[in-house]
Amino acid sequence: MSAITLSTSQGKFKIPHYPIDMVGIEERAASFTKRSIKNSSKLEALYLAIEMTDLTTLEGADTVGRVKSLCAKAISPVSAEYLPLLEKKALPAIPHVGAVCVYPAMVKTAAKCLQGTGIHLASVATSFPSGQLDLSMRLKEVRKCVADGADEIDMVISRGQFLQGNYQVVFDEIRAVKEACGETAHLKVILETGELKTYDKVRLASWMAMEAGADFIKTSTGKVQPAATLPVTLVMLQAIWDFYQETGKKIGMKPAGGIRTAKQAIQYLVMVNEVLGEDWLTPDLFRFGASTLLNDILRQIFKQATGQYFYQDIFSLD
Amino acid sequence: MSKKMEARSLARKGKALSPPIKSSSVKKTKAKTSVPTKKTRDQKRTRAFTQYAPAPESSKVVTLKEKYDHYINGEFVAPSSKTYMDSINPATGKVLAKVAVGNQKDVDLAVAAARAAYNNVWSKMPASERSKYLFRIARILQERAREFAVLESMDGGKPIKESRDVDIPLAAQHFFYYAGWADKLEFAFPGKKLRPLGVCGQIIPWNFPLLMAAWKLAPALATGNTVVLKPAEQTSLTALLLCEVLEEAGLPPGVVNIVTGAGATGDALVKHPDVNKIAFTGSTDIGKLIARNVANSTKKLTLELGGKSANIVFEDAALDQAVEGVINGIYFNQGHVCCAGSRLLVEECIHDVFIKKLKKRMETLRVGDPLDKNTDVGAINSKEQWLKIKELIEIGKKEGGDFYEVSTDAPTQGYFQKPCLFTGVSNSHTIARTEIFGPVLTVLTFRTPDEAILKANDTPYGLAAGIWSEKGSKIHKVASSLRAGVIWANTYNKFDAASPFGGMKESGHGREGGLQGLFPYLEIE
Amino acid sequence: MKVLKTIKLYINGEFPRTESGRSYPIMDHDGKEYARVCQGSRKDFRNAVEAAKNAQAAWSKRTAYNRGQILYRMGEMAQGKLEEFSQLFQTCLGLSHEKSVDMAQAGIDAFIYYAGLADKYTQILCSVNQVNGPFHNFTTPTPIGITTYADADKFDFKLLVSHLCAIILSGNSVVAILGKGCPAIIAPLSEVFATSDLPPGVINLITGSFDEVAGFVAGHHEVQALFVAGDRSANSKQVSELKLLAVDNMKRLHLIGEKTSALELVMKAVEMQTIWHPIGV
């Protein structure tokens, strides 16, 4: 794979070939799982993880009722009756999550629920998850979501075009979607790493997305296996770092799908810490795309507070 | 936080964007406002996470004796001289236990026991039975893995993460591997019968105490020899704990004997007339001394000595993985590795980019208590070694190299050296030629593959080398031109019982591991 | 009054009954009924091949060291059943107590032997080849894939264990038909496999008549090798028929017996792959 040349209205530029060694990157990713994060470090990581969670529902069966429930959970992850347990140990209250993520049809409902809460509203768009739809219709969808109240757009790249080698098309599409987001919505670009397959391609797609104006790059839709993994996220974090060195721009990262336990979430935070540093340990630059994760984090917090593992049932499903 | 994000965030809350707040620099300055803003409160909280609370591995699993005797003929035997030496924990400077000092008498006793065991028991035993003893030892080592890992870190200073994940599993693997060869020696050399040598004297170093014991004992026993082993005086404890495993496995008395002590003890073993073979791993200087001592005898000899291995990074390497390889190559086990990639040869056109990445990565290495699970770089093995390293660093600075040391904290008590490097080094500098055996990297450049090969080979040593390139043909070409016994392409410091390891030139001769690792312990009839 | 064990098949790490609902009696050496075993059918065989197929890729991706460890574990588990095995041999084969124990121990030792061979045979059988050009040329073994095994007329525990171990050592999976020598062996042997961390589907055991399923086995396109144990001559009627059926998908057909050494067995269970790579900057 030689350098890719892309053109913009300002002229041409190259994205150089940047090879990734599979065995090496997987070893490095695995090394983060050996960090032992305990006590105060663990607690801070858990709270941080809640603030970074994009609480997500993306099912064909989503209804107004389902979304309202999710928003309630997003605002107040634990019911008030358990808060005294935290106060006893001088632990802060459970924060609200970073964002709620829904399908375009549900944006209006969610916007109403989240009004004034400070929680961001992310909508998937561009014919999520496949992206297989005429560009004009995808852009129309984006504009509608923004108009309905979404302040974050999670788009998918055209993997078919990418794998065919039509990189200019992929690049231009991302730029068009970014424009459609306007001034009020930030753009996350989903690479669907499970379909790109090789780390080399993930690196290329990451760089392309950042050059095209992505505010965040995101691993997956969650509809294809494998979704987020530590090594694929590591590739993207390293791309973010190199991009920052080159342009001074800090781009955010969102691994999505497959992160179900607090333990895993902490491993990701360790990785962000050691690859990008403290500056990225904020919901403004890092998010988890997850649903069941939240309850496991709560379970861990309450275990630290009380010394006991609670039933899963204590924490409402949504 | 960008303006746009701030605007969005406030808009969500129904507020307007207020005049821009001057953001204070994130890292180490204190907040200038008296009222803690959300940002400073977040920074404090984030710091609580990123500093990683202590995660100590408990040392309760280890029961230390007050003093340790020799292990001869299946029993613990007090030293004839009644002398003991201190075994010190280099992370604390405190004495862990006292260990016997062996003299000529003790060595004589041990060799006699080994000889008797060889003549009467071990050489008569069916090979499949020998095999089973070794399998048992491997199994028990796996069962007691945690105990051995903790003791190894306490005695030698290496991080628990390494002793737990590398040293002990590899040691068990060595016993497993050679157990499988014991009854298959007829396949080792076509058409020829192979015989053991008899009694082997083995002297091992302090950098991988238990692993080196496994590397020596496993092939020797599998091939039918008996052994007298002399551990390094700095780190005898895991070898002595291994005696418990040998007993649990029911190994017949005298097959393995352990005599502790320092240089004089090793000397007595090397010169003993009834020893058929000497195996030594350690410094090149001592290796040459031993070689001179056995020159006028029929003793067989294998030596695994020092190195100043080159880690060669080409422009077409996978750069981030190459950085990992270089880090691993020199900072793994605090650089106390004979095959450490202590010279970085980086292609000149990527020098600056590469060093920048390397330094950034170095800053995430955690230097500290070996028993903390998050420690990456532990204690220097001894005061003596620590002083040597300091001395060489001073020489390096005087020679004109640019010195860089990580800014992370290191404990003030005990013997610690922070990971560091010298750039602007040339092959003639002392620090580019002398083995430092510490976490000190010397960085040199090259322009072409031929130049890389020349510079890499420009050393009396020849133990290992690393090659980083995504071009397969280049790897094969460079590898076959390098005079080093172990070549790691796009990886580093990988060890396996099935993979032969050993040096060329002054890094020694003989191989340990794999099929080739059998030959030093056999006579081809 | 003792509880009698029902002997079932061992497929995909589980113990199903035969789909056919048939069973037949195994006689002990005195002619008394020892137990009934399942009479495996083509359907059972087909299910077993499916299981073997699903297990094979992952099994071959494990390290040789890991496979060796599992074989060693089999030895450990088998050692714990020394009594059971020797009882079985005494009762069914009519061997003396001493000879039964010897046979049982020989089988156990075979597990250990092959455990030790797992990560070494390439060093003996494979090569780096000195070709006449600037190329790195090396030959490595790869597993054949999904294999089948028919046991020998005359039962020998060491031989049975050796054959099965040699086959799975290099990453093959196997469906073994135990019809001839001592079908009752399926019970303790499958229990050894089931308690040894062996992934389900790597070894599958079916009792029944090989003759009944032989044609089906030899003609099954997903089966890539057939190992026939015993002293059958290469041109005997049955073997010739098998060879003909095997031609369709170039199934490897190997006759293995007492005289086949360990290395030969392993060599027959692999496909040698040679790779060339240029040497040059």
Side-chain angles (χ1 to χ4, degrees), chain B residues 139-361:
Chain B
R139 272 314 220 188
I140 298 165
L141 202 49
Q142 284 180 325
E143 283 177 333
R144 297 179 70 166
R146 188 53 53 94
E147 201 183 333
F148 274 93
V150 171
L151 182 57
E152 194 77 296
S153 286
M154 287 167 71
D155 197 12
K158 69 172 71 204
I160 184 72
K161 197 174 63 167
E162 286 175 13
S163 50
R164 179 195 68 201
D165 295 340
V166 180
D167 292 56
I168 280 47
L170 276 178
Q173 197 206 21
H174 252 85
F175 282 108
F176 265 113
Y177 181 80
Y178 280 104
W181 267 119
D183 55 355
K184 301 177 181 71
L185 294 177
E186 74 247 38
F187 303 140
F189 201 90
K192 287 283 201 164
K193 278 186 91 181
L194 299 160
R195 268 191 303 108
L197 302 173
V199 174
C200 301
Q202 303 179 323
I203 300 168
I204 56 177
W206 47 256
N207 59 347
F208 294 93
L210 181 73
L211 183 57
M212 291 298 102
W215 276 30
K216 296 284 182 285
L217 294 175
L221 298 179
T223 47
N225 300 284
T226 56
V227 172
V228 177
L229 180 82
K230 193 211 80 77
E233 61 264 33
Q234 298 88 342
T235 52
S236 308
L237 299 182
T238 42
L240 292 164
L241 184 63
L242 188 64
C243 299
E244 288 185 19
V245 173
L246 302 177
E247 302 232 313
E248 268 182 64
L251 192 69
V255 173
V256 173
N257 305 276
I258 298 185
V259 179
T260 49
T265 320
D267 202 52
L269 185 57
V270 167
K271 290 179 178 150
H272 198 291
D274 198 26
V275 167
N276 303 105
K277 182 217 159 55
I278 295 290
F280 171 78
T281 298
S283 72
T284 298
D285 286 338
I286 306 290
K288 288 184 178 176
L289 192 66
I290 290 174
R292 290 190 189 105
N293 277 329
V294 304
N296 205 14
S297 74
T298 56
K299 287 193 181 90
K300 292 218 183 311
L301 178 67
T302 46
L303 299 170
E304 207 273 275
L305 308 175
K308 192 71 181 178
S309 305
N311 218 339
I312 307 170
V313 179
F314 286 96
E315 178 203 25
D316 58 5
L319 289 184
D320 294 316
Q321 285 73 63
V323 166
E324 285 307 306
V326 171
I327 295 281
N328 183 295
I330 186 58
Y331 303 124
F332 172 67
N333 201 27
Q334 297 76 249
H336 302 326
V337 188
C338 46
C339 50
S342 47
R343 283 184 296 154
L344 166 61
L345 264 57
V346 60
E347 194 161 347
E348 206 173 320
C349 53
I350 52 160
H351 174 274
D352 291 349
V353 162
F354 194 78
I355 297 301
K356 194 173 176 195
K357 280 183 183 267
L358 191 63
K359 286 180 178 174
K360 174 176 181 287
R361 174 66 176 95

Side-chain angles (χ1 to χ4, degrees), chain A residues 72-269:
Chain A
K73 175 88 171 166
I75 295 164
S76 182
V78 186
S79 65
E81 71 198 87
Y82 297 112
L83 294 181
L85 290 169
L86 299 175
E87 282 160 13
K88 244 200 248 179
K89 295 285 171 136
L91 291 175
I94 302 292
H96 62 67
V97 303
V100 161
C101 186
V102 292
Y103 266 122
M106 293 291 142
V107 171
K108 273 201 175 137
T109 310
K112 232 173 159 183
C113 299
L114 299 176
Q115 186 85 31
T117 60
I119 300 174
H120 295 291
L121 174 52
S123 174
V124 296
T126 67
S127 189
F128 179 99
S130 71
Q132 296 276 16
L133 186 66
D134 202 70
L135 179 64
S136 60
M137 293 196 263
R138 282 182 271 155
L139 294 175
K140 196 170 168 193
E141 189 185 33
V142 170
R143 285 184 211 110
K144 175 142 203 317
C145 291
V146 174
D148 284 351
D151 70 330
E152 300 187 355
I153 297 293
D154 288 22
M155 74 166 282
V156 291
I157 64 167
S158 298
R159 282 86 72 200
Q161 294 287 358
F162 188 87
L163 292 171
Q164 277 174 219
N166 297 339
Y167 302 116
Q168 186 69 51
V169 170
V170 178
F171 180 72
D172 288 341
E173 285 184 351
I174 300 171
R175 294 186 72 207
V177 172
K178 172 74 171 170
E179 211 189 313
C181 289
E183 291 300 306
T184 56
H186 91 185
L187 176 64
K188 297 196 197 79
V189 178
I190 302 172
L191 309 181
E192 195 67 307
T193 54
E195 287 179 347
L196 298 183
K197 297 288 188 205
T198 67
Y199 296 120
D200 289 348
K201 288 208 197 287
V202 170
R203 168 78 186 204
L204 176 61
S206 303
W207 199 271
M208 199 183 295
M210 291 189 286
E211 289 279 14
D215 296 298
F216 264 69
I217 49 176
K218 179 172 166 183
T219 56
S220 20
T221 60
K223 301 299 179 191
V224 163
Q225 289 301 317
T229 62
L230 282 168
V232 100
T233 305
L234 178 56
V235 172
M236 293 167 73
L237 291 176
Q238 285 175 335
I240 288 172
W241 179 258
D242 287 342
F243 190 79
Y244 171 57
Q245 293 301 297
E246 220 174 278
T247 65
K249 286 195 214 149
K250 288 183 182 162
I251 308 297
M253 174 69 208
K254 177 173 170 179
I259 305 173
R260 287 186 193 89
T261 65
K263 185 171 180 181
Q264 283 172 297
I266 294 176
Q267 288 168 353
Y268 279 88
L269 292 178

Side-chain angles (χ1 to χ4, degrees), chain A residues 30-47:
Chain A
S31 74
F32 297 114
T33 65
K34 291 194 193 169
R35 290 295 191 216
S36 181
I37 306 299
K38 287 183 154 14
N39 305 322
S40 55
S41 295
K42 186 173 179 181
L43 268 171
E44 289 305 343
L46 292 169
Y47 275 87

